[in-house]
């Protein structure tokens, strides 16, 4: 994950609380409106629950909890708090094989065996998609309040800083086999 490999990357920029983040577009399967989740008993608090995306059960992670940010401003009720979006991300094949192909059938992807693992990530706002070369990316540096192992790079777009997340490092440990 060198600066050179990120220089031509297409990035989806989104906001979690006040933090501007980005993920490689190749890891984004789709963007959905924030869906109500079904809580999983015994799951860690970072896991919001499950959603059904066209017949596939997808685990959804609360973005603000995963990044260690303060809770969002309170909403009148959980039902009214469905603002924002859920980004459906694909964790690579290597991570899924290491997890033992958790689902058995691998109903996603259409390839033989266990394909990429899908996981939902809640965000407050999807901001933009940047093509390769539209932004300046720098090596990750000391960022106050953010675990540096979760950051691939720091970007700047129109004078605003954002972090390029290492999606596998962020979400991989949350969903062990």
């Amino acid at each position: 994950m060198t600066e050179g490999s990120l220089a031509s990357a297409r990035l989806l920029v989104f906001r979690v609380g006040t933090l501007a983040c980005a993920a490689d577009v190749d890891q984004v399967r789709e963007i959905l409106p924030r869906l109500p989740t079904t809580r999983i008993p015994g799951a860690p608090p970072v896991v919001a629950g499950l959603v059904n995306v066209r017949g596939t059960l997808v685990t959804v992670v609360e973005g603000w909890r995963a990044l260690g940010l303060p809770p969002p401003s309170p909403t009148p009720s959980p039902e009214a708090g469905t603002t924002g979006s859920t980004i459906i991300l694909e964790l690579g094949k290597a991570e899924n094989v290491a997890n033992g192909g958790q689902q058995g059938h691998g109903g996603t992807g259409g390839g033989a065996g266990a394909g990429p693992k899908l996981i939902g990530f809640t965000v407050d706002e999807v901001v933009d998609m940047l093509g390769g070369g539209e932004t300046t990316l720098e090596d990750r540096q000391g960022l106050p309040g953010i675990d540096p192992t979760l950051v691939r790079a720091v970007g700047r777009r129109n004078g605003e800083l954002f972090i390029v997340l290492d999606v596998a490092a962020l979400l991989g440990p949350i969903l062990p086999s």
Side-chain angles (χ1 to χ4, degrees):
M1 287 168 217
T2 65
E3 187 177 336
S5 69
L6 283 172
S8 62
R10 294 177 310 151
L11 300 171
L12 179 71
V13 181
F14 50 88
R15 190 170 306 287
V16 178
T18 59
L19 183 64
C21 303
D24 193 326
V25 169
D26 293 338
Q27 294 178 302
V28 176
R29 165 146 312 162
E30 62 186 302
I31 302 166
L32 300 171
R34 179 99 186 235
L35 302 170
T37 58
T38 301
R39 185 79 183 131
I40 305 168
V46 71
V47 175
L50 292 172
V51 294
N52 186 334
V53 180
R54 288 178 290 290
T56 301
L57 290 179
V58 177
T59 303
V60 177
V61 170
E62 289 285 1
W64 65 273
R65 287 186 195 256
L67 292 168
L69 300 174
S73 59
T75 55
S77 69
E79 293 79 23
T82 57
T83 60
S85 300
T86 301
I87 300 173
I88 306 297
L89 299 165
E90 290 185 8
L91 293 182
K93 292 177 181 154
E95 289 89 352
N96 195 39
V97 169
N99 288 340
Q102 189 175 359
Q103 292 289 334
H105 310 301
T108 61
K117 173 84 174 136
L118 297 181
I119 186 166
F121 188 75
T122 63
V123 302
D124 294 315
E125 176 187 18
V126 175
V127 177
D128 201 359
M129 187 180 98
L130 302 175
E134 286 186 46
T135 186
T136 303
L137 295 176
E138 303 161 8
D139 245 352
R140 63 181 180 190
Q141 301 166 1
L143 300 169
I146 300 296
D147 181 355
T149 61
L150 305 178
V151 178
R152 291 176 64 192
V154 177
R156 185 179 302 271
R157 182 184 75 84
N158 298 333
E160 181 183 9
L161 288 174
F162 63 89
I163 60 170
V164 179
L165 294 173
D166 185 338
V167 173
L170 177 65
L171 301 176
I174 294 170
L175 297 175
S177 62

